[in-house]
Amino acid sequence: MQNIKLYNGVEMPLEGFGVFQVPDAAVCKQAVLDAIRTGYRLIDTAAVYMNEAAVGEAIREAVESGLVRREELFITTKLWVTDFGYEACKEAFGRSMKRLGLEYLDLYLLHQPFGDVYGAWLAMEELYIDGRIRAIGVSNFFPGKFTEFAEIVGTKPMVNQIELHPFFAQAVAIENMKRYGCVPQAWGPLAEGKHGIFTHPVLSEIGNRYGKTAAQVALRWNVQRGVSILPKSVHRERMEQNIAIWDFELTAGEMQLIAALDLGHSEIIDHGNPDIVRYILSTKAE
Ligand code: NAP
């Protein structure tokens, strides 16, 4: 497992574990504990996932049982749009930290590019300067929005978490982030199972050369191009499979073959669709 250094010097594991769509508290707690036992150190949640408390319980149990030290973990959560704005962000941060049971947070992200992102960012900058958060960033900021934001704000986002997998490679977005020193992080690194990813002929054929699965090839491709990944699974054997990607290396030709699978658009969500924007703005986090 490799780390990547954010521009402020903070080290972030290149691979982490996501808990989107795990609303059941017991399942979520067990999954996070299993993930930590499997070797994951970065855990990615969000206020809107409704499972921060379960993640917090798992962290407490893992630390109290001596499985891991708090400093070895890298915990990310995200501020939802209904809490964008200066005051609202400060209050929502307090609620998230209470649910997580943490003294400090490793990474706090603006979850979506809509609403009062600038007011919220001012509050996040203060929390960062006060040492409550080790790094701050954004999520789902498409290239135009990301550029506007990065040009205007004082503290540039350290991470932008967007959809990134072989069928939506977003090479231009990644290049643009790197220009601002921002680390690209992949949500849906397994395309949420879409497009036949787990049995895809190109990914499977490359995997066969190394004794790896199509999923492992897709994950390896992203980390090899400097993208942090957050595969999610509630199944222990899949968690183990998804983290066993650090003992092989794709060739430049294989990297190109995988990059050629890019469809150039998402099959999951379109942030340019007005209905999606209205849906996001009207969704409540808590
Ligand atoms: P994903 O990781 O691409 O795919 C997860 C799906 O793949 C689940 O259905 C999982 O099933 C299955 N799976 C995982 N590993 C597998 C394997 N080796 N073989 C076969 N099936 C496998 O999708 P995601 O959960 O949407 O994205 C990952 C994380 O990114 C999330 O959990 C969340 O933390 C973050 N995220 C962020 C945003 C955002 O807006 N910022 C949006 C989406 C996700 P099982 O669980 O049943 O094993």
Side-chain angles (χ1 to χ4, degrees), residues 62-73:
V63 171
E64 282 178 4
S65 67
L67 188 61
V68 75
R69 285 180 290 115
R70 165 66 185 98
E71 313 81 74
E72 294 173 78
L73 294 173

Side-chain angles (χ1 to χ4, degrees), residues 18-20 44 49 78 111-112 139-140 161 187-192 198 215 230-235 238 241-242:
V19 292
F20 179 42
D44 180 88
Y49 299 172
K78 313 183 195 85
H111 203 147
Q112 299 287 352
S139 178
N140 294 306
Q161 184 184 119
W187 68 251
L190 296 169
E192 296 188 350
F198 300 120
L230 305 165
K232 170 263 174 186
S233 176
V234 293
H235 297 98
R238 289 178 179 171
Q241 184 190 133
N242 295 343

